[in-house]
Amino acid sequence: MDTLEELNSKGFVEEKIDPTLDLFEEIEKLKKEKNAIVLAHYYQEPDIQDIADYIGDSLGLSQEAAKTEADVIVFAGVHFMAETAKILSPEKTVLLPDFKAGCSLADSCPPHLFKKFKEKYPDHVVITYVNCTAELKALSDIVCTSTNAVQIVESLPKDTKIIFGPDKNLGAWVAKKTGRDLVLWNGACMVHEIFSREKITKLKSRHPEAKFIAHPECEEAVLEMADYIGSTTGLLKYSINSDAKEFIVATESGIIHQMEKANPTKTFIPAPPNNNCACNDCPYMKRNTLEKLYLCLKNGLPEVTVPMDIIEKARKPIERMLEISASLGL
Ligand code: 13P
Ligand code: SF4
């Protein structure tokens, strides 16, 4: 068994697993034994989505984390999501299969720099996208996700001055949708910035009937071409409700698993990145594997913790988001 130091440097418990073990069965057994649930984001690998008790977008996952009665939450997602679960349920044990499952967008906004930025706009309300560290949430007035960002901004009086961070692309899209003038932090997600407008144009001309659907973390040049823009849940719902038979999907490729399950007769084409690698796979989300999930549940490690003073400060803006979302039926 690793020491805590070894575990932290690798990010996960390294242990040989008997290759004849049925991990699906073993994980089910451990879930019952430990009163644990597995929450998984749509960007996780298909096996993890299939073993999860709940699969969803960032809003759904935080709503689920707030209401679960399980003692242990295994968060099959990235670090900021597991932190959010811990902030909402501090008495529970929150496990992350790979501790190094971070986020380029969260990394693009170091809290000490954001604090200085915020000081330049003392009369502004601070709205932060949930894809940020717990420390950043503690510096915020309201948190939002891509499902509710527009409604959260609109819930404030028209003349409210607003800082929006850390995602400049989501922020610019929300500013356009709401007609509000937002002060944006210059952050972005490496996965959603990689899509190529030129290659999408070519793909669209080869599939003229296909709907092009995109996540609002994409750049404006890509969003301008979209038939529909929305969170991962929004994109999934659109794929179900639309009569189209083909879809070009500009977000992390993991969502396609649920799209194909829900629409077995429709075709989903991942939007091409601007090079030849599979860059629309999030390298952080994909650090989690079924093997790591099994070991983390078995060993109770790695565990995500958040200092109590940060929990207290970060909880209010997250709860404010959950209250506004509930009042709007989101
Ligand atoms: P949503 O699933 O909330 O749309 O977020 C997408 C994302 O980038 C999560 O990291
Ligand atoms: Fe972060 Fe982008 Fe990965 Fe989402 S897809 S976890 S925003 S790096």
Side-chain angles (χ1 to χ4, degrees), residues 41-46 49 191-192 195 232 249-260 268-271 278-283 285-286:
H41 188 267
Y42 289 126
Y43 296 165
Q44 292 295 287
E45 62 171 44
Q49 294 190 34
V191 180
H192 288 89
F195 296 113
T232 50
V249 184
T251 191
E252 214 272 359
S253 58
I255 185 72
I256 291 180
H257 181 55
Q258 292 306 319
M259 289 176 170
E260 288 177 338
F268 297 93
I269 308 163
C279 296
N280 41 357
D281 269 354
C282 171
M285 286 280 181
K286 295 299 195 292

Side-chain angles (χ1 to χ4, degrees), residues 259-278:
M259 289 176 170
E260 288 177 338
K261 273 176 107 168
N263 306 284
T265 59
K266 298 181 182 176
T267 305
F268 297 93
I269 308 163
N274 56 19
N275 53 28
N276 292 327
C277 73

